[in-house]
Amino acid sequence: MPEETMPTALPGEDRTFQPSSEFRERSHVSDDSLYELANQDRLGFWEKQAEQLHWFKKWDRVLEWDAPYAKWFIGGKLNISYNCLDRHIQTWRRNKAAIIWEGELGGQRVLTYWDLYREVNKFANVLKERFGVKQGDRVTIYMPMIPELAIAMLACVRIGAAHSVIFGGFSADSIRDRVRDCDSKLIITADGGYRNGQIIPLKSIVDKALSSGNTPVEDVIVVRHIGEGAQVQLHEGRDHWYQQLMDDAPARCQAEELDSETLAFLLYTSGTTGKPKGIMHTTGGYLTGVTYTSKYVFDLKEDDVYWCTADIGWITGHSYIVYGPLSNGATTVMYEGSPGYPDKDRFWSIVEKYGVTILYTAPTAIRTFMSWGDDYPKGHDLSTLRLLGTVGEPINPKAWLWYHNVIGQANCPIVDTWWQTETGCIMISPLPGIAHTRPGSASRPLPGFEAEIVDQHGKPVESGTGGLLIIKSPWPSMLRGIYGDPDRYRDTYWSRFEGFYFTGDGAKFDEDGYYWLLGRVDDVINVSGHRLGTMEIESACVDHPSVAEAAAIGIDHEIKGQAIVAFVTLKLDGSSSRGVEEEIRQHVATRIGAFARPEQVIITAELPKTRSGKIMRRLLRDIATGRALGDTTTLADAAVVQKLKKKYEQLAE
Ligand code: PRX
């Protein structure tokens, strides 16, 4: 069990904000009937949501729950790609914009539903006919934010193959670990992507990942995105240009009629050990969850221009750039690059250019914009916006209010949406037409979900008291397991409170039943909305030749939410050199990805440990945040922590 701290922090803002009567009247949900329906008959409620999809064959039974294993819509047959494409092209939506793409350098591409349908069909044929990809295979995707990323995902699920998208910021080592873990024989990548005006050489990173030869990968498909500026070496027999393959591909590929429980995708996420977990999501339940929540949480309408600024490499992009919006037949904006390029008003220029109506972003981005000043958004017409959303970490009331006043111009409800890679879709969030939102609170569980906040013994806490967030009953889009590791699935999520799902998050609720999320209570750090395990960072530090031992912690950071501080002991063989701290920071970035680079590396002669040898991260957190040291009685050597505290204070001066 990870070291767990009961959360206690209480946010300090109690104003409430209501939607305008105009918003409420036009909204999909303008009263409590959805909650009532779900409370009366939860399974019936979920069946109603599933009925919004196209099923080749309807399910025989709605749920089989043999904790911790759930099957939803058993016997039903459907296809995610069919639901996102085929059923729309049979209607007037055929010519509606499905994806509006903006490149970092300013290029623009609009793919209608028909365009997307055509490309996905062809690429599904490439996978199936040229590479023999079949139902049950795992295909790795390591791409920039370009339409071909969505095309590749939709093509995989069209033929029943599971995709494993790896965020473009991950390193070669991370790619190698992931393709090995899921035994993936094919990688789809690009010659590169743009980020902050720089070219990220994705194909070269893939080459590095495969250079040891010790991987299952047999073929690499490369999209030409950068063109001339990219240095690409094609490995004869292994690497293939996407565009050439597409030229030869037949136009139509029928969507497979897949069993509801067919594995749709894997998405690796961090946990409390050094090894990332391949979270498994299946077809019918996942699509039901994301279709339902996209429609109601974002109040998604036919004429909306919806923009989620996440990267598709994370679950937010899977569920709320690709699958949820497309299943609803919406127009989804996809932006390739960085918010600060070429200038700090890029997001606002995109909102203005496309007349974005719904904007979904992360608190870390909001805090960054706040620090850049109001002039950037004020220089643009943001009057098309009607709804704002946030995700990824707790939002501090100050950032919430800035978002509300400066971006929403006090005229847009804000949905603070709590969920996880594992939950597949949003679980706790206001419904924008009816909620009285409070800055910093994600409001209540959505209809269909049953959450609870409990103490360490599983007893529900009283209002105002911090506790642990659990989910009491299975839901359609819940993870179905960790790829290849059923024991870890059981241990991580289901052993803490028998029969209940443990989220790893702390929370409290107030006298009106509103939930306030208080951050992780386990050894998971949330840096700019990116989830990292302390063990993962520690393994990367220890992998450096001079490091003997390491302990990583998260400390509060004004912009990033949390930042990583790594305390490190060095080997006594004299192998370390001056400037080793910087080397270790760089080593972690190389091992995991640049987003995991520690803010600070502190060399220490020893780490504070209990008599049984367990590192006391709690005390390291006290040191790094300048707090008075907590209980030190269980330490093997109390002098270690005093020395370290002194050293830290000297460094800070
Ligand atoms: O700690 C919670 C935080 O992000 C974690 C999930 O991270 P990940 O699986 O990467 O998914 C992020 C996007 C869904 C949660 O355990 N988190 C997410 N949304 C919120 C949040 N914390 C507070 N408020 C939120 N709205």
Side-chain angles (χ1 to χ4, degrees):
M1 197 62 227
E3 191 186 16
E4 197 176 78
T5 338
M6 286 305 268
T8 50
L10 300 179
E13 171 68 51
D14 51 13
R15 265 183 291 170
T16 62
F17 294 79
Q18 302 179 24
S20 65
S21 50
E22 193 198 340
F23 188 99
R24 184 190 185 106
E25 276 155 28
R26 280 203 64 215
S27 159
H28 284 310
V29 180
S30 54
D31 58 33
D32 271 350
S33 53
L34 216 53
Y35 290 101
E36 283 157 17
L37 200 69
N39 285 342
Q40 279 158 17
D41 176 11
R42 220 174 63 84
L43 295 185
F45 170 85
W46 281 118
E47 287 194 277
K48 257 192 148 40
Q49 302 315 319
E51 280 160 14
Q52 304 305 307
L53 305 176
H54 177 274
W55 295 78
F56 299 118
K57 176 179 171 290
K58 200 178 163 175
W59 54 94
D60 309 312
R61 267 177 312 139
V62 55
L63 170 68
E64 189 184 290
W65 177 226
D66 180 10
Y69 295 101
K71 289 184 181 158
W72 282 86
F73 312 115
I74 301 137
K77 292 205 182 292
L78 78 165
N79 185 290
I80 292 181
S81 163
Y82 187 97
N83 273 283
C84 291
L85 301 169
D86 303 47
R87 67 175 168 144
H88 303 313
I89 59 146
Q90 294 158 22
T91 71
W92 68 271
R93 289 196 194 110
R94 178 187 171 91
N95 295 323
K96 177 176 176 176
I99 295 177
I100 297 178
W101 176 82
E102 164 123 339
E104 194 183 72
L105 301 189
Q108 178 188 323
R109 284 166 69 190
V110 178
L111 281 87
T112 63
Y113 272 94
W114 177 259
D115 292 331
L116 192 57
Y117 169 79
R118 184 188 59 233
E119 299 302 302
V120 169
N121 270 266
K122 283 171 74 175
F123 194 57
N125 274 329
V126 168
L127 294 177
K128 196 163 108 175
E129 298 190 356
R130 174 69 176 75
F131 295 98
V133 177
K134 52 186 191 319
Q135 196 176 321
D137 289 350
R138 279 84 46 214
V139 174
T140 297
I141 303 177
Y142 181 68
M143 288 194 29
M145 283 282 287
I146 54 176
E148 284 73 14
L149 168 52
I151 291 166
M153 292 163 77
L154 286 158
C156 286
V157 294
R158 192 166 187 87
I159 59 173
H163 55 69
S164 162
V165 180
I166 301 177
F167 168 58
F170 274 112
S171 65
D173 289 355
S174 297
I175 299 172
R176 189 185 316 116
D177 293 346
R178 284 158 176 73
V179 293
R180 275 188 194 151
D181 187 76
C182 70
D183 192 25
S184 174
K185 298 194 171 47
L186 178 68
I187 299 186
I188 305 161
T189 187
D191 55 358
Y194 293 102
R195 186 85 203 167
N196 257 321
Q198 308 283 321
I199 294 172
I200 312 285
L202 296 169
K203 170 62 167 60
S204 312
I205 298 172
V206 169
D207 289 343
K208 196 168 160 211
L210 304 184
S211 61
S212 69
N214 194 9
T215 77
V217 176
E218 291 166 5
D219 292 286
V220 178
I221 300 177
V222 190
V223 176
R224 193 187 273 279
H225 171 53
I226 305 290
E228 275 189 9
Q231 308 283 331
V232 173
Q233 290 204 332
L234 282 201
H235 291 235
E236 189 72 33
R238 188 195 74 183
D239 299 350
H240 320 265
W241 286 114
Y242 172 93
Q243 278 84 355
Q244 276 174 13
L245 296 165
M246 288 292 268
D247 284 346
D248 301 334
R252 294 294 167 88
C253 173
Q254 201 162 1
E256 292 280 335
E257 300 194 3
L258 300 173
D259 190 89
S260 175
E261 281 299 331
T262 307
L263 183 67
F265 65 85
L266 296 176
L267 187 54
Y268 283 87
T269 189
S270 299
T272 53
T273 75
K275 188 171 176 274
K277 313 176 269 199
I279 300 297
M280 300 199 283
H281 281 291
T282 59
T283 303
Y286 173 76
L287 194 64
T288 301
V290 299
T291 307
Y292 154 63
T293 47
S294 296
K295 175 172 173 185
Y296 291 109
V297 172
F298 300 114
D299 189 40
L300 208 49
K301 303 275 173 42
E302 210 61 84
D303 55 353
D304 274 313
V305 178
Y306 162 90
W307 182 23
C308 166
T309 71
D311 192 291
I312 291 177
W314 307 107
I315 191 69
T316 307
H318 281 59
S319 300
Y320 298 110
I321 296 179
V322 182
Y323 293 124
L326 295 179
S327 169
N328 277 288
T331 296
T332 179
V333 174
M334 186 173 172
Y335 170 53
E336 177 187 14
S338 140
Y341 189 86
D343 204 351
K344 297 185 173 70
D345 65 344
R346 187 62 187 271
F347 270 28
W348 319 122
S349 85
I350 293 175
V351 169
E352 180 172 354
K353 180 171 174 189
Y354 299 110
V356 171
T357 58
I358 302 169
L359 178 69
Y360 188 33
T361 193
T364 184
I366 297 167
R367 288 190 295 264
T368 304
F369 300 138
M370 244 171 97
S371 76
W372 287 345
D374 296 4
D375 287 349
Y376 293 104
K378 285 198 168 140
H380 292 274
D381 179 2
L382 306 182
S383 63
T384 51
L385 288 171
R386 65 179 195 90
L387 179 68
L388 304 174
T390 80
V391 60
E393 48 178 319
I395 181 162
N396 47 315
K398 196 170 156 206
W400 194 103
L401 289 167
W402 185 86
Y403 199 30
H404 172 77
N405 289 323
V406 180
I407 305 305
Q409 299 170 358
N411 196 32
C412 302
I414 295 181
V415 287
D416 174 354
T417 63
W418 178 90
W419 58 297
Q420 306 177 305
T421 304
E422 292 87 341
T423 71
C425 74
I426 298 168
M427 286 191 120
I428 304 178
S429 164
L431 284 173
I434 55 172
H436 293 194
T437 50
R438 297 182 181 173
S441 167
S443 176
R444 290 187 285 157
L446 290 168
F449 301 109
E450 294 185 312
E452 179 110 60
I453 303 171
V454 297
D455 66 16
Q456 266 137 335
H457 310 291
K459 205 166 133 270
V461 296
E462 315 235 307
S463 80
T465 310
L468 308 171
L469 179 66
I470 61 166
I471 312 295
K472 292 201 298 183
S473 48
W475 63 101
S477 65
M478 65 187 269
L479 75 166
R480 297 299 194 265
I482 296 174
Y483 193 80
D485 203 345
D487 292 342
R488 191 172 178 199
Y489 171 60
R490 203 176 269 275
D491 288 352
T492 310
Y493 304 108
W494 303 94
S495 65
R496 183 79 173 81
F497 303 104
E498 193 61 36
F500 295 148
Y501 172 83
F502 176 44
T503 62
D505 273 36
K508 65 152 198 152
F509 67 92
D510 63 21
E511 52 293 346
D512 297 318
Y514 274 48
Y515 283 60
W516 299 77
L517 278 307
L518 303 172
R520 301 289 303 199
V521 294
D522 53 11
D523 291 330
V524 170
I525 306 179
N526 192 331
V527 184
S528 301
H530 300 329
R531 206 169 131 175
L532 287 156
T534 48
M535 284 273 281
E536 217 178 329
I537 300 157
E538 288 160 10
S539 316
C541 291
V542 172
D543 187 55
H544 183 282
S546 304
V547 174
E549 210 174 15
I553 56 160
I555 58 164
D556 288 349
H557 187 278
E558 212 180 326
I559 303 286
K560 299 178 180 177
Q562 282 191 297
I564 303 164
V565 177
F567 292 86
V568 160
T569 62
L570 298 177
K571 287 182 185 156
L572 297 174
D573 59 6
S575 64
S576 58
S577 52
R578 270 173 77 88
V580 69
E581 289 96 335
E582 190 48 40
E583 267 180 34
I584 298 168
R585 289 179 70 230
Q586 184 49 40
H587 192 76
V588 175
T590 310
R591 189 69 191 90
I592 304 175
F595 64 96
R597 193 193 310 267
E599 192 78 3
Q600 210 180 357
V601 166
I602 295 166
I603 308 292
T604 170
E606 268 180 276
L607 288 167
K609 289 186 188 164
T610 61
R611 276 170 216 113
S612 61
K614 196 167 171 254
I615 297 171
M616 293 193 73
R617 290 195 184 74
R618 177 172 56 77
L619 292 176
L620 294 175
R621 272 190 289 267
D622 289 343
I623 292 172
T625 50
R627 279 195 301 250
L629 290 176
D631 185 5
T632 55
T633 50
T634 51
L635 276 178
D637 179 0
V640 169
V641 71
Q642 293 299 349
K643 263 192 251 162
L644 191 53
K645 190 166 175 353
K646 206 175 252 166
K647 168 153 187 190
Y648 192 83
E649 283 162 1
Q650 278 164 359
L651 279 174
E653 272 164 17

